[in-house]
Amino acid sequence: MSTAAGLGARLDDQLGGIVASNGAPAGVLAAITGERSAVVYHGDPRPDAHSTFEIGSLTKTFTALLLAEMAERGDVGYQDPISNYLPAHAKPTDAEAAVRITLESLATHTAGLPHLPTNLELFMDGPAWLLNPYADYRLDDLYEATAQLDLTKAPGGQVEYPTSGSACSGGCWPTQPTGTTATWSRTVSASRLA
């Protein structure tokens, strides 16, 4: 058995147990060790390289890295208010929030936002909530919440870990100041993260 095949077999053993013990419908596990790499899939139906998964809070890291890349290219400024990047119907009606919540404050968790979007509880439904709380939450829902932002603290101050701030960051992607459109996922695909 080659070293790459050995790595794959070890990953396969691990993933099978993880998927079974957690009641997960599917899972993918990947590893790179020196020159060796392996990717294994488990589930029914069996996932593949094109399957999509909820990756939870890892998106916060990707979103912050995308912001850094965009700022480095000069596409955005860290101090740009979010209202520069949201469609008119999604801009915060709170004048302070509209100008004081910046891309940087979203990325650094200092925007003063509540932990979850205020309208997310409309989508909480028992087991579905536990598996994927955002399964039925759409961009229009996020825009509705963004328009009605209720600051819990002054932007730029205390660090808090709000999911709503990262969701808002991702929601800023569809409307660029230049009028071009780019989704968060297309931006990831075109970045150094892909």
Side-chain angles (χ1 to χ4, degrees):
M1 181 184 297
S2 74
T3 56
L7 177 62
R10 287 196 335 247
L11 290 178
D12 194 57
D13 287 344
Q14 291 292 317
L15 183 59
I18 291 169
V19 169
S21 67
N22 288 291
V28 176
L29 190 58
I32 300 172
T33 305
E35 298 295 317
R36 301 180 302 158
S37 66
V39 180
V40 295
Y41 309 90
H42 271 268
D44 185 21
R46 185 179 184 274
D48 61 25
H50 303 287
S51 299
T52 58
F53 290 87
E54 176 192 359
I55 59 172
S57 289
L58 286 175
T59 57
K60 292 177 176 81
T61 302
F62 296 145
T63 301
L65 288 169
L66 289 172
L67 172 61
E69 281 188 2
M70 294 172 75
E72 183 179 289
R73 286 193 311 263
D75 296 342
V76 300
Y78 290 117
Q79 296 306 314
D80 291 350
I82 61 168
S83 56
N84 287 5
Y85 301 95
L86 291 168
H89 71 280
K91 292 179 190 240
T93 55
D94 178 322
E96 179 186 13
V99 296
R100 292 200 51 206
I101 297 176
T102 64
L103 296 177
E104 179 181 40
S105 69
L106 290 174
T108 59
H109 308 296
T110 58
L113 300 177
H115 177 65
L116 296 172
T118 53
N119 61 350
L120 183 62
E121 68 275 358
L122 300 174
F123 301 94
M124 294 180 187
D125 184 22
W129 169 253
L130 297 174
L131 290 174
N132 184 354
Y134 297 96
D136 295 323
Y137 197 78
R138 303 288 175 243
L139 186 58
D140 286 336
D141 300 316
L142 176 64
Y143 285 160
E144 178 185 314
T146 304
Q148 302 303 318
L149 281 177
D150 185 19
L151 299 177
T152 58
K153 304 226 180 325
Q158 183 177 346
V159 174
E160 291 189 6
Y161 189 70
T163 296
S164 61
S166 294
C168 188
S169 295
C172 290
W173 253 264
T175 305
Q176 303 294 319
T178 59
T180 61
T181 58
T183 64
W184 184 91
S185 59
R186 276 188 242 146
T187 307
V188 169
S189 296
S191 77
R192 290 178 259 179
L193 300 174

